Amino acid sequence: LLSIPGDMDLDVRETMKGVLHTDWGAFRDTGAPQDYFKSYDGSEQFHFKPGRGFWVLANDNWVVPEQDVNTVILDQHGIFKLPLQAGWNIIASPFDGPLPWDLVQAATPSMPQTAKLWAFNGTFRAATSLEPFQAYNYFNDAGDGAVLSMPFPGLWSDASKINPSQRNPSKYAAAPPAVSG
């Protein structure tokens, strides 16, 4: 399960070596209860974008071509909003550092606190953090249009939920350059 952090639009093919279906394959989860894996077809659905990951099988090492990568746009609370489909989603951190799952849970009030993030390394296991360049499985039972709130670590806290006029401005002085309101 692979991803690329940052705000980008990069076709999976550009990160793979060899021949499709012989040397590599990439899949996305459609969220459907059956026939849920869709194989790489060159469409926009197979572009690395913020928070999006893929299941990739390859005979060679994965290499991301050198390029400029912008940081994602955050809302006024320091949160990146990741739209979800109903059912299973392959998600990733849009940031270049670890994103603790408990922060995502706290920032997403509609998410059940028992919701699990699943990593795969030969077997599935519950994960406590989204690591850069890795992708994870998350089951969204809220339906299409649900949004996962992914707070920038160190910028967001539960205090971000209070009225903006009651915040301590010095606490948020170190915002990343791409923060927009």
Side-chain angles (χ1 to χ4, degrees):
L1 291 168
L2 302 175
S3 72
I4 301 176
D7 186 4
M8 64 167 23
D9 184 358
L10 178 67
D11 191 313
V12 170
R13 178 183 287 278
E14 294 180 41
T15 68
M16 305 309 298
K17 295 179 186 175
V19 178
L20 174 64
H21 303 303
T22 301
D23 300 310
W24 67 275
F27 307 87
R28 67 176 211 79
D29 196 316
T30 65
Q34 50 192 331
D35 299 326
Y36 44 85
F37 271 143
K38 182 175 182 185
S39 184
Y40 178 87
D41 63 7
S43 72
E44 183 76 15
Q45 295 280 337
F46 286 93
H47 282 214
F48 287 106
K49 293 194 177 202
R52 184 185 288 178
F54 300 98
W55 189 284
V56 176
L57 301 171
N59 293 333
D60 209 342
N61 291 333
W62 184 51
V63 178
V64 178
E66 186 175 327
Q67 59 190 294
D68 292 331
V69 177
N70 296 319
T71 57
V72 294
I73 302 290
L74 304 176
D75 71 9
Q76 68 273 18
H77 302 291
I79 294 174
F80 171 75
K81 302 286 190 175
L82 178 63
L84 299 172
Q85 65 191 12
W88 286 103
N89 289 258
I90 301 177
I91 65 169
S93 173
F95 309 120
D96 66 354
L99 174 58
W101 183 241
D102 61 346
L103 280 183
V104 176
Q105 289 175 302
T108 310
S110 61
M111 177 194 296
Q113 291 303 301
T114 57
K116 299 245 190 256
L117 177 68
W118 296 99
F120 185 82
N121 188 10
T123 60
F124 284 100
R125 64 173 170 71
T128 59
S129 180
L130 292 107
E131 300 294 327
F133 297 98
Q134 295 180 29
Y136 301 84
N137 287 90
Y138 170 71
F139 188 78
N140 169 34
D141 58 2
D144 284 335
V147 174
L148 200 60
S149 295
M150 304 182 100
F152 187 83
L155 177 63
W156 185 89
S157 73
D158 283 336
S160 297
K161 295 179 185 174
I162 65 174
N163 182 323
S165 65
Q166 297 173 336
R167 287 193 199 137
N168 176 354
S170 64
K171 180 175 180 179
Y172 302 95
V179 173
S180 69

